[in-house]
Amino acid sequence: LAVVVPVAFTWARRTLKDGSTSADGEVTVPGGRLTSGALRDLPSPPWRVVYEIADDKLGGIEHVLIGPAGIFAVQTSMEPMPSPPDGEPNAHEIARAAIARGGLDDALTGCGLSSDRLVRIHWTESPNISVDLMPGVTAVDGRDLEEWTQSLDTSVLTPAQVDLGWQTVLTSIGRPDPLA
């Protein structure tokens, strides 16, 4: 019993931390880890990423992508990629997205920057690389994340602003200053 309990506890903790088990016994990778892996493939510089942010730090934003095209609050979705919208979004949907980015914008006030949009990374088959859902919200196919970043306007932030934004976000969530 003294050996079985610690072994079972360790196995359960690793399974919950690293992924869950599907019905056929395969371990599946959590969506946030898929997004983290795709973000790690982006060239650094010019892109800087704050990875795997705790839920209580920025209000549910999982990662922050900072680069010459702006500052993006990133969430992961395992839902199918949405279709382009038919009509105008209502004010409540736009406000919900702004609220989701609110913690990040609060953190960035110290350096005079703000986030450009909420990016939802989808990990399901999609015919589109990205879909602009409404002002301030873009859905991106995770398999085409690098291609999406290459399609963005890269004249929004200077390299110094990229580093400043990265430093500000990291220190605001309690991580060490990367430029110190």
Side-chain angles (χ1 to χ4, degrees):
L1 187 61
V3 173
V4 173
V5 171
V7 169
F9 179 73
T10 302
W11 173 80
R13 185 175 56 167
R14 283 188 183 161
T15 300
L16 291 173
K17 180 180 176 187
D18 296 335
S20 58
T21 305
S22 64
D24 60 1
E26 265 186 55
V27 175
T28 58
V29 177
R33 293 275 174 101
L34 289 171
T35 301
S36 179
L39 291 169
R40 288 179 199 284
D41 291 340
L42 295 176
S44 175
W47 293 98
R48 302 284 190 197
V49 181
V50 180
Y51 298 98
E52 300 175 8
I53 301 167
D55 286 340
D56 63 335
K57 298 294 184 183
L58 292 179
I61 298 302
E62 297 170 355
H63 312 280
V64 177
L65 176 61
I66 307 163
I71 301 174
F72 305 102
V74 178
Q75 293 178 329
T76 301
S77 175
M78 299 308 284
E79 299 293 319
M81 183 105 144
S83 301
D86 292 336
E88 294 294 316
N90 69 42
H92 295 290
E93 292 171 331
I94 295 172
R96 232 178 278 129
I99 290 168
R101 293 190 324 264
L104 176 57
D105 284 335
D106 289 347
L108 290 167
T109 57
C111 67
L113 298 172
S114 64
S115 63
D116 295 275
R117 71 183 90 158
L118 175 64
V119 176
R120 291 194 180 113
I121 307 295
H122 291 264
W123 290 99
T124 56
E125 290 292 324
S126 173
N128 302 315
I129 292 174
S130 68
V131 175
D132 288 327
L133 300 174
M134 66 185 83
V137 181
T138 301
V140 177
D141 185 331
R143 290 171 295 274
D144 295 319
L145 185 62
E146 188 168 358
E147 189 174 343
W148 174 74
T149 60
Q150 291 171 356
S151 73
L152 298 171
D153 174 15
T154 57
S155 63
V156 176
L157 296 178
T158 65
Q161 288 174 314
V162 170
D163 286 343
L164 178 62
W166 182 52
Q167 178 184 35
T168 301
V169 173
L170 281 169
T171 56
S172 73
I173 63 170
R175 294 192 185 163
D177 186 343
L179 303 176

